[in-house]
Amino acid sequence: MDLKNNIYVVSLTHWDREWRFPFEKTRMLLVEMMDNVLELLDKDPDYNCFHLDGQTILLEDYCEVRPENADKISQYVKAGRLLIGPWYLLPEENQMSGESLVRNFLWGERIGRKYGGNMKVGYSPTSWGQVSQMPQIMKGFDVDSIIFYRGISPDQSPDNFYTWEGPDGSSILGIRLGDFARVGFFHLVDRAVVFNRYWGDDSHQWNQGGKPFRLSGSGSATPYEFHQPPNGWHPENIEQSLETLENEDLGEWMTPWALSCECDDCTGPFVFVPKIIKEANTLISNGKEIKQGSLPEFVAMAREHLNENELTVLRGEMRSSQKAGKWTDIYAEIQSSRIPTKYINRQMECLLQRTAEPLGTMAWMLGREYPIFSLDRANRLLLQNHAHDSIGGCGRDAVDNDVRYRFGQIEIIAQGITSAAALEIAGRIDTGDVASNEVLLVVFNNLPRKSNHIAQTEIDFDRESNIKGFKVCEMDGTELVVQTLSCSNAEAIFNHPYEVPCRMSSDRWELFFEANDVPAMGYKVFRVIPMEGEYRHEGTMLVAPTSMANEYLEVQVNPNGTVDVASKETARNSTIEHLEKKPSSLPRGHKKRHQILL
């Protein structure tokens, strides 16, 4: 048997933290898988090494159940037989903020150091496309190579090696996997030799054994589990399977060795790999060989044989939609699945990263204890929701339920941090010159620049005071423009650490007001002054019964129902005209469309 390439087999798992099953069910499978990994590394010195899918969260999840195995894990990580990181977990990069991506690596580094250190290869097998700044982010964590397959095509990089350059000029070595991506050796060789099955055959019959079992009534999606998983040994398939691997997956490589990954979704280590490799090497007649090793070793070998200055240079995000192999397309529908969950993710990122943390830091600078436990808890929950199938929305409904629950916990924690920090800051404001019946409004600005905006707030007045009007002012008494929205009855609750919660029957006013010149990363105080009798905020944009204007626009409502809009800045006019009413299949209550005639 002749081979075109020396074949370098990298054994790993692709671990979906939650996808086919919710997290807690998947963790039960993880514990079994990790127990088998450690047992295999203990017993078989010929099994070179195993990769935990570029993640460190697997160790966190596993050691919550098996804390007694943490030292053994560290021993194998330090020995290079168990490869972890550099990610905390594998995200869908296009659905989150850049801050979240950086923190994913920060948490990966944090956990990796605890267990002996991360590998410095950017294995990224799951994101549906890569963001353009990934070279810059990875270089910041001393990761100078990347391996992925979704979002890059042979048209972009005809060879398996290329240079990927980020917007800031950072560059890393890129490795494009073959058409079968991370599963080639497993599907085309392992399954043929052990199970006598070739690519695409996923059938099972009762007479194939294994003692399969499932609980009756547990649901149509509940699989049978094997008590004694059936295996076999078919060395007669080795030559054909390797020929298929080279012809349908690997092709020609620029280096002496071709990379072939061996895994599938949530599979454990394939104990037969050393035996398959040993048997295959006895059949090769042209001096080539097969061996099992690690991704860092393969990258080091490649660099010895490549002139990186001559490689194709790629720039920008990697989101090629071309399907050039079995799993190389980006599944564009992921971007629009479970949209409400994606909205909540963005809201929670902003609440945690742009509100709770800045205010918590401001309060810490004033002497309050930094809420490290609560922030760590919230950030861990947020990152867990960024697992590619979780935020991608392609898991089962039970998975999305878990994701929503975590977001709910994040909101509770972030709101608690925000409230406590704001209380600490507001409590330090000197109120000596403020009348007892006045209310102070404190507007915080967590941006790195001065803020001018319209603030929305609510004010409670004791109902017995019978306040009918008020004005909002700067601290020097300058009155501000106010728009009241509503006034309703409310029970204001006062929480006392040494007393029962007390109440005040109140009139709750909701309003908008101008909050200008709020300093960067700071706050500004405004006074609410009760007035005798009713007090009207008479600011208006009306300039005539049928027209209104501000500093930017003039609007005229015409007798025929059209509206003329004129820009004061550009002197450009337009007319908004109602379309004639026509029969429509739209549901009752659907808003009419408008046409803008320029």
Side-chain angles (χ1 to χ4, degrees):
M1 174 179 64
D2 292 344
L3 291 181
K4 300 174 185 176
N5 310 280
N6 294 298
I7 299 177
Y8 196 90
V9 180
V10 169
S11 298
L12 38 84
T13 184
H14 172 57
W15 200 264
D16 294 310
R17 191 171 188 264
E18 48 189 7
W19 175 48
R20 291 178 62 204
F21 309 110
F23 164 66
E24 292 297 348
K25 164 64 175 177
T26 308
R27 176 154 64 176
M28 295 176 186
L29 302 176
L30 172 68
V31 171
E32 181 179 353
M33 186 274 289
M34 284 295 299
D35 286 348
N36 291 337
V37 168
L38 296 178
E39 182 180 6
L40 177 61
L41 296 178
D42 283 343
K43 293 183 177 180
D44 189 353
D46 291 334
Y47 195 95
N48 191 305
C49 57
F50 190 73
H51 298 67
L52 293 183
D53 203 25
Q55 308 183 69
T56 58
I57 194 172
L58 275 63
L59 303 179
E60 211 173 45
D61 292 340
Y62 175 71
C63 287
E64 283 186 4
V65 182
R66 296 272 196 269
E68 67 274 14
N69 286 342
D71 289 342
K72 179 179 288 189
I73 289 172
S74 296
Q75 292 172 9
Y76 283 128
V77 170
K78 293 174 182 177
R81 296 190 68 195
L82 191 62
L83 285 298
I84 62 174
W87 295 95
Y88 178 57
L89 84 173
L90 297 175
E92 204 307 86
E93 299 168 19
N94 303 281
Q95 298 294 341
M96 62 201 62
S97 68
E99 180 70 24
S100 293
L101 280 176
V102 172
R103 292 185 184 201
N104 197 314
F105 278 99
L106 282 169
W107 277 74
E109 185 72 17
R110 177 179 180 178
I111 303 302
R113 286 179 182 177
K114 178 180 177 181
Y115 289 97
N118 291 334
M119 71 172 180
K120 295 301 181 179
V121 175
Y123 181 62
S124 182
T126 53
S127 183
W128 290 279
Q130 301 284 324
V131 299
S132 62
Q133 285 188 288
M134 191 50 63
Q136 180 180 353
I137 295 172
M138 287 190 171
K139 286 294 284 288
F141 290 90
D142 296 325
V143 176
D144 59 3
S145 60
I146 188 168
I147 300 173
F148 68 95
Y149 52 90
R150 296 195 192 280
I152 185 169
S153 73
D155 288 345
Q156 294 171 285
S157 176
D159 300 313
N160 293 90
F161 299 95
Y162 59 93
T163 296
W164 186 13
E165 187 176 290
D168 71 330
S170 300
S171 63
I172 56 179
L173 173 66
I175 301 175
R176 180 177 62 78
L177 297 173
D179 284 356
F180 276 74
R182 58 179 165 80
V183 303
F185 200 88
F186 174 76
H187 275 284
L188 300 178
V189 180
D190 288 349
R191 297 184 71 229
V193 176
V194 176
F195 301 116
N196 198 30
R197 290 195 181 105
Y198 283 87
W199 163 245
D201 180 5
D202 60 358
S203 62
H204 182 83
Q205 306 298 325
W206 288 116
N207 60 11
Q208 292 177 282
K211 292 187 176 179
F213 173 85
R214 69 185 289 269
L215 288 175
S216 176
S218 56
S220 61
T222 302
Y224 285 89
E225 304 286 353
F226 288 107
H227 182 264
Q228 297 174 350
N231 294 313
W233 180 247
H234 301 272
E236 67 276 11
N237 293 339
I238 291 178
E239 290 193 38
Q240 178 61 51
S241 64
L242 290 175
E243 180 180 343
T244 302
L245 177 71
E246 289 207 304
N247 292 337
E248 296 189 18
D249 182 29
L250 297 180
E252 298 285 347
W253 282 63
M254 301 170 63
T255 51
W257 293 85
L259 175 60
S260 185
C261 292
E262 182 236 4
C263 80
D264 202 24
D265 293 349
C266 292
T267 54
F270 211 64
V271 298
F272 300 94
V273 170
K275 185 177 180 181
I276 293 173
I277 292 175
K278 183 177 181 180
E279 184 77 15
N281 282 329
T282 66
L283 303 175
I284 299 170
S285 57
N286 64 340
K288 303 292 184 181
E289 65 174 313
I290 305 174
K291 69 177 181 180
Q292 183 190 39
S294 72
L295 288 174
E297 291 170 350
F298 179 82
V299 171
M301 177 281 303
R303 283 205 150 102
E304 290 179 1
H305 294 88
L306 292 172
N307 183 345
E308 295 187 49
N309 294 325
E310 296 179 355
L311 296 178
T312 300
V313 178
L314 302 179
R315 298 179 179 86
E317 65 179 8
M318 295 297 176
R319 289 184 55 79
S320 170
S321 59
Q322 178 182 346
K323 184 173 182 178
K326 295 295 186 284
W327 287 287
T328 55
D329 53 330
I330 60 173
Y331 291 5
E333 62 271 20
I334 290 298
Q335 309 306 319
S336 60
S337 64
R338 300 192 190 272
I339 286 294
T341 301
K342 291 176 169 61
Y343 283 159
I344 297 172
N345 172 66
R346 187 59 178 157
Q347 292 168 347
M348 292 304 103
E349 283 184 323
C350 290
L351 178 60
L352 181 59
Q353 298 169 0
R354 300 187 182 184
T355 302
E357 289 190 357
L359 282 175
T361 301
M362 293 180 201
W364 168 74
M365 293 174 69
L366 294 174
R368 184 178 177 83
E369 181 182 1
Y370 192 70
I372 186 65
F373 175 84
S374 297
L375 284 174
D376 276 1
R377 171 68 175 158
N379 275 295
R380 182 182 283 109
L381 291 170
L382 183 65
L383 291 175
Q384 288 172 358
N385 275 357
H386 289 169
H388 53 284
D389 293 319
S390 303
I391 194 62
C394 53
R396 298 168 62 178
D397 287 347
V399 170
D400 192 59
N401 292 341
D402 283 352
V403 170
R404 294 288 193 99
Y405 171 78
R406 293 188 202 109
F407 280 139
Q409 299 306 298
I410 293 168
E411 183 173 21
I412 292 170
I413 295 170
Q415 291 283 17
I417 294 171
T418 300
S419 178
L423 173 64
E424 181 71 28
I425 298 168
R428 292 171 175 267
I429 296 172
D430 184 359
T431 60
D433 296 331
V434 179
S436 61
N437 66 338
E438 293 183 10
V439 176
L440 295 186
L441 297 176
V442 184
V443 177
F444 293 90
N445 177 17
N446 52 16
L447 299 175
R449 61 183 182 275
K450 183 175 69 174
S451 170
N452 296 314
H453 68 280
I454 304 299
Q456 181 176 0
T457 189
E458 56 190 33
I459 304 168
D460 289 321
F461 289 115
D462 182 355
R463 194 172 305 150
E464 294 181 0
S465 300
N466 197 29
I467 302 298
K468 298 297 184 182
F470 57 89
K471 60 182 179 179
V472 180
C473 304
E474 302 270 3
M475 291 304 290
D476 63 5
T478 303
E479 187 173 354
L480 303 176
V481 175
V482 172
Q483 179 184 350
T484 55
L485 301 177
S486 66
C487 180
S488 59
N489 295 334
E491 290 293 320
I493 300 173
F494 296 82
N495 195 39
H496 192 294
Y498 311 113
E499 173 63 295
V500 298
C502 299
R503 294 172 174 81
M504 177 181 73
S505 295
S506 63
D507 294 320
R508 177 163 294 173
W509 294 77
E510 293 188 62
L511 62 139
F512 290 114
F513 72 99
E514 288 182 318
N516 294 329
D517 298 323
V518 184
M521 294 298 291
Y523 66 88
K524 187 174 180 180
V525 183
F526 300 88
R527 297 170 64 184
V528 180
I529 304 175
M531 306 297 290
E532 292 185 7
E534 294 186 356
Y535 186 80
R536 302 293 184 184
H537 301 284
E538 296 181 352
T540 178
M541 291 187 291
L542 287 177
V543 295
T546 59
S547 63
M548 58 183 177
N550 60 18
E551 61 266 43
Y552 304 109
L553 298 173
E554 291 181 350
V555 179
Q556 173 67 48
V557 180
N558 301 314
N560 64 358
T562 62
V563 178
D564 295 333
V565 181
S567 169
K568 291 183 177 181
E569 295 180 321
T570 65
R572 187 177 185 184
N573 297 304
S574 63
T575 298
I576 301 177
E577 178 181 295
H578 287 278
L579 292 177
E580 294 182 5
K581 188 174 181 181
K582 298 179 180 179
S584 171
S585 60
L586 293 174
R588 286 188 68 184
H590 193 281
K591 293 182 179 179
K592 295 181 179 179
R593 296 179 179 272
H594 295 80
Q595 182 180 26
I596 299 179
L597 306 177
L598 300 179

